[in-house]
Amino acid sequence: MSLSSFPSRLPAFLLGACFCVGTASGTVLSADRTASKGLLLERDITLQEAERSKPDKNTPQPAKWKIILTGSGGDLGTAVESYEISVAGVLQSGTFSQTPKTGKTQKKVVKLPEAAVAKLWTVVKDLDAMNLPDFKGKKGKDSPTYTIKLEVAGKTHVIRVEGYSQSEEHLKLILAIQKCYTEGVPQ
Amino acid sequence: MKRCATLFLSLALVLCSWQDCQAGPISIVVNEYTSSDDSFTTGQLLAAKATFETQIALWTGALSDPKGGPHVTVTISTVDFVSLALGNGGSTVGATAVGGLPGNVTKIKISTNTDMFYDTGTVPKDQKSAATVMLHELGHAVGFNYLDSGDGYQKWNDRITGNLFDMFGTNVTMAGAKDDANGLSHIDTSYAANDLMNLTIGYGPSSVRPISQLDLCMLAAAYGYQTPYDCPEPGSMTLLGLGVAGMAGYGWRRRK
C-alpha cells in the first residue's frame, strides 16, 4: 500500500481495525462470561442444595414449642440467668429467672404478644436452629457461656455456646430470645 | 575497683528503695475503633471513642512504668462497639504479654445494647455505665488477665495460688476457683464490694466505679508498675535488705 493511497483507504482501514479489536475483546469478554456463568451455576447448585436441606421457611409455627436460653459466667458473675419462651396454643409466655451467688432464684413471668413470638419463630426457622451446632470461640474475659435448648414438634436440640459474640448466628439467636422476652407484658 | 563497684551498687540499691526511680506513664494505643452494630451511628461511634479515650487517660494517669523496667505500651488492635446479649457489658479477648508485661490485646468489645448507658448524667437503675464497662475492660488489658489457653499474662498467674492473689503478704480473694480464668481475673465481692474489677458492676448509679487503690496495688504487685499509692512491694524491703547487707559486707572487708 502506497502512502498516497492511504487517506482514501483510511475509513476501510479503521473499520477493519475496529472489527479486529471488537472480535478480540469480544473473545475475552465471552470467555469471562463463560467463566462467571460457570461459577454462578456452581453457586446456584450449592444454594439449591442448601435450601433443600433446610426446612421450608414458610412452615407454620407449631402449636407447641419452647426455647430456653441459660447463661452463666462472664460478667453475669456466678449468677445463672435463664430466658424461657413457651408456646402452647394461645398461651404464649416468657419467664426470666436469675439465681444469684447466694439466695433464692427470682422469677418474672410475662405474657408475650403474638407478633413477638412470630418474630422469634422466624429467626429460629431462618437460622435452622434445630440443626445449629455447638460453638466454641476464643476464651476471653467477661464473656458469658450459654446453653440454648429447643423443643419443637417432640424433638429436643441443645446448643452449647462459648464466646457467643464471635458467632453471628448464635449471637442472633441469643439476642432474638432476649428481645422476645423483653416485648412481653408482666402478668 | 571491685570495692568501689560494690559500694556504688549498694548505695544505688538503698537509694532506689527509699525513693521511686523515675519512670513515665504507661501507654495504651488503640489501632481501630469500629462498630459491628449497624444501628450504631457514626456520631455515636465518635462519642463512644471519645469516652473510651477518656478511660484510657484514667489508666495511663494512674500507672507508671515499672522501676528500671521497659516502657509499657499496651496495643489494642480493635475496639468494637457491638450488640451483645443483655447483661453482658463487654469482653476482652486475645491478651498476650510482651517481655512478660501487658502488651497486645486483639479485641475489646463494648455492648451497645439497651441496658447500656452511654449518656452523661445519672445512670438509670435498669442500665449500666458504658464508661465504667470500658474502664473495666481496659483493666483486663493492663493486667487483670489470668493466662489460660494463650490468653492472658503469666505474671498475673504467678501471684495466684488457689483463688488467692498474693499482694506481698496481703491475700486478695479472687472471684473464681482454681483454673477459672475469668473468675481469677476479677476481685471477689466478699473481699472488696463495688470494686471496678469485680465480676459484675451491676446496674444504676452504683455501676459507676473508679479505679481503686486496690486495683492499682494488685497491678503493681504483679508487674512492678508504679502508682500514686503506697502499695506493698517487695522492692522496699528486699532492696533495702540487699543494700544494707552490701554496705555491711563492704565495711567488714575494709576492717579486714
Side-chain angles (χ1 to χ4, degrees):
Chain A
M1 182 169 58
S2 67
L3 278 175
S4 57
S5 65
F6 183 75
S8 60
R9 294 185 185 185
L10 188 60
F13 173 76
L14 286 175
L15 194 67
C18 281
F19 175 76
C20 289
V21 170
T23 311
S25 59
T27 309
V28 173
L29 281 172
S30 71
D32 275 351
R33 278 194 208 107
T34 313
S36 341
K37 200 166 185 183
L39 284 173
L40 278 174
L41 276 173
E42 277 171 30
R43 201 186 65 172
D44 285 346
I45 292 163
T46 316
L47 283 173
Q48 279 165 9
E49 279 172 358
E51 287 300 323
R52 268 201 297 276
S53 67
K54 265 188 170 186
D56 183 2
K57 281 183 184 176
N58 298 320
T59 304
Q61 197 187 133
K64 197 174 176 185
W65 64 283
K66 192 188 275 189
I67 189 162
I68 305 164
L69 168 72
T70 308
S72 63
D75 61 355
L76 301 177
T78 47
V80 177
E81 287 188 356
S82 131
Y83 293 82
E84 180 177 324
I85 306 296
S86 179
V87 177
V90 289
L91 295 174
Q92 303 183 330
S93 65
T95 308
F96 172 65
S97 52
Q98 195 173 36
T99 309
K101 194 176 177 181
T102 51
K104 286 181 181 174
T105 302
Q106 289 184 326
K107 276 189 181 182
K108 281 182 198 167
V109 183
V110 293
K111 191 181 176 190
L112 298 170
E114 269 185 35
V117 175
K119 256 190 273 175
L120 175 59
W121 177 252
T122 307
V123 174
V124 168
K125 295 298 295 175
D126 285 353
L127 293 173
D128 190 14
M130 282 301 278
N131 291 310
L132 201 60
D134 291 349
F135 178 77
K136 203 168 183 177
K138 279 182 198 167
K139 280 186 182 177
K141 303 297 174 291
D142 295 327
S143 183
T145 54
Y146 288 99
T147 302
I148 305 163
K149 187 180 177 188
L150 288 113
E151 291 173 20
V152 183
K155 286 182 184 170
T156 302
H157 179 58
V158 179
I159 309 159
R160 288 172 189 84
V161 194
E162 270 182 36
Y164 77 100
S165 65
Q166 294 159 46
S167 162
E168 203 176 314
E169 289 180 316
H170 294 83
L171 172 63
K172 197 175 174 184
L173 184 58
I174 289 166
L175 291 177
I177 298 166
Q178 291 185 333
K179 180 89 170 66
C180 181
Y181 170 80
T182 58
E183 288 179 15
V185 182
Q187 283 187 330
Chain B
M1 184 66 189
K2 203 175 173 183
R3 283 178 184 174
C4 205
T6 313
L7 181 64
F8 179 77
L9 184 66
S10 304
L11 276 170
L13 287 170
V14 170
L15 283 172
C16 224
S17 65
W18 279 344
Q19 64 179 46
D20 285 348
C21 296
Q22 291 300 304
I26 66 162
S27 304
I28 301 175
V29 178
V30 176
N31 288 341
E32 181 197 24
Y33 288 93
T34 186
S35 177
S36 305
D37 179 355
D38 294 339
S39 64
F40 208 60
T41 63
T42 308
Q44 284 175 312
L45 177 60
L46 288 172
K49 174 179 178 273
T51 307
F52 198 91
E53 281 168 353
T54 304
Q55 311 315 307
I56 286 178
L58 293 175
W59 278 112
T60 55
L63 289 174
S64 295
D65 293 329
K67 282 177 190 172
H71 176 60
V72 175
T73 301
V74 177
T75 305
I76 302 160
S77 303
T78 309
V79 175
D80 191 3
F81 297 94
V82 57
S83 183
L84 295 177
L86 289 169
N88 183 202
S91 68
T92 302
V93 180
T96 48
V98 173
L101 294 164
N104 296 320
V105 170
T106 308
K107 191 172 260 192
I108 288 183
K109 290 185 180 182
I110 305 294
S111 177
T112 56
N113 221 320
T114 50
D115 58 352
M116 295 288 283
F117 183 73
Y118 276 86
D119 293 337
T120 49
T122 309
V123 183
K125 63 177 183 178
D126 56 350
Q127 287 187 302
K128 57 174 80 175
S129 162
T132 305
V133 169
M134 296 175 200
L135 196 64
H136 174 101
E137 297 307 330
L138 281 165
H140 290 305
V142 298
F144 275 77
N145 218 318
Y146 190 87
L147 177 66
D148 178 48
S149 307
D151 187 340
Y153 307 128
Q154 182 59 47
K155 279 182 187 285
W156 185 261
N157 289 33
D158 292 346
R159 302 230 64 83
I160 292 177
T161 309
N163 69 334
L164 297 176
F165 180 97
D166 175 17
M167 198 166 58
F168 301 118
T170 305
N171 282 329
V172 179
T173 310
M174 303 305 286
K178 190 173 178 277
D179 297 333
D180 170 9
N182 188 54
L184 295 173
S185 302
H186 295 92
I187 302 166
D188 196 65
T189 47
S190 66
Y191 187 86
N194 299 318
D195 192 274
L196 171 69
M197 296 313 294
N198 285 155
L199 261 174
T200 170
I201 60 164
Y203 290 88
S206 69
S207 70
V208 179
R209 298 179 182 188
I211 301 169
S212 69
Q213 180 175 351
L214 175 63
D215 301 334
L216 295 175
C217 286
M218 287 173 77
L219 289 168
Y223 307 103
Y225 287 128
Q226 293 182 78
T227 78
Y229 298 108
D230 189 15
C231 296
E233 54 179 314
S236 329
M237 295 319 293
T238 313
L239 287 176
L240 186 63
L242 279 170
V244 170
M247 293 286 272
Y250 174 73
W252 179 73
R253 284 192 67 150
R254 273 197 73 152
R255 273 202 300 276
K256 270 177 78 177

